[in-house]
Amino acid sequence: STLMHCIAGIDKPDSGEILIDGTDIHSLSEKESAVFRRRNIGLVYQSFHLLPTLSAEQNILLPLSLDGKECDKDYFDALINTLGIREQLTHFPAQMSGGEQQRCAIARALIAKPLLCLADEPTGNLDSKSGGEVMELLQNVWKKMGKALVVITHDSRIARMADRQFQIVDGVLAEVTAK
């Protein structure tokens, strides 16, 4: 989680740089960093982070609303169809299952067409069936978009789904497998 927060510009590393599309995200002000993250980095958390007073559709469109941007209707339709959440758009988070909430959170993370999607234990609060479905959906959306997807997990089954695997041992990041 710390690595993901550093990559996303939420936490600052002790040393070094993190460049995303040529931008050193830690050289930005807090406000600039939030805007950069909202426009370029999709974040999917284990605990969904949906706003309980907003419908699924409002939660999904929140990043665009904060930027004062219009929704690309065709992209929105393709995204919610791929994630299978059209029927939940008018529901509030408390009216949705964990898998539906996570799909909504994934749609929110991807609605701004980010360069990078970071998913921190995206299946941690889900049963194994829902978790497998969410990972399959994340992979499918990522492949269709042609963007970078980084999944942080302790689940070896999920790690094996990746094209490349890295592990942090004693604070050192190293590649452990390449397909």
Side-chain angles (χ1 to χ4, degrees):
S1 295
T2 301
L3 176 62
M4 184 185 106
H5 288 166
C6 287
I7 294 170
I10 296 167
D11 292 339
K12 191 169 186 159
D14 295 334
S15 62
E17 296 177 312
I18 297 177
L19 301 172
I20 297 177
D21 199 31
T23 300
D24 179 355
I25 59 171
H26 295 289
S27 68
L28 303 174
S29 71
E30 195 170 314
K31 183 177 179 179
E32 291 169 330
S33 180
V35 170
F36 182 86
R37 186 172 35 257
R38 186 171 62 237
R39 293 178 181 168
N40 297 288
I41 303 171
L43 296 168
V44 179
Y45 293 98
Q46 176 178 348
S47 56
F48 319 132
H49 289 293
L50 300 176
L51 297 177
T53 58
L54 298 181
S55 69
E57 183 171 10
Q58 291 168 323
N59 267 289
I60 292 165
L61 296 175
L62 186 60
L64 298 177
S65 298
L66 292 170
D67 260 351
K69 292 185 176 178
E70 292 294 318
C71 176
D72 175 339
K73 183 74 170 125
D74 291 336
Y75 176 71
F76 176 82
D77 286 339
L79 188 58
I80 63 168
N81 287 337
T82 299
L83 291 168
I85 55 172
R86 181 166 298 282
E87 299 300 316
Q88 285 73 36
L89 290 178
T90 59
H91 296 174
F92 292 90
Q95 298 171 309
M96 295 186 283
S97 70
E100 291 166 344
Q101 288 182 61
Q102 191 62 298
R103 287 175 176 87
C104 181
I106 291 167
R108 182 188 54 205
L110 299 176
I111 194 65
K113 302 177 185 177
L115 299 169
L116 171 65
C117 182
L118 300 171
D120 187 11
E121 295 286 358
T123 62
N125 284 333
L126 304 175
D127 60 61
S128 60
K129 181 180 183 292
S130 294
E133 290 170 356
V134 164
M135 282 309 302
E136 187 176 323
L137 289 167
L138 259 177
Q139 282 189 309
N140 289 340
V141 170
W142 161 71
K143 287 177 182 174
K144 286 179 183 177
M145 290 179 66
K147 304 293 183 175
L149 171 66
V150 176
V151 177
I152 289 82
T153 186
H154 292 96
D155 187 330
S156 60
R157 293 171 299 143
I158 292 170
R160 284 191 298 273
M161 297 170 105
D163 291 336
R164 296 175 72 189
Q165 295 178 38
F166 293 83
Q167 188 174 40
I168 299 175
V169 177
D170 298 328
V172 177
L173 178 69
E175 187 164 7
V176 293
T177 304
K179 283 188 181 179

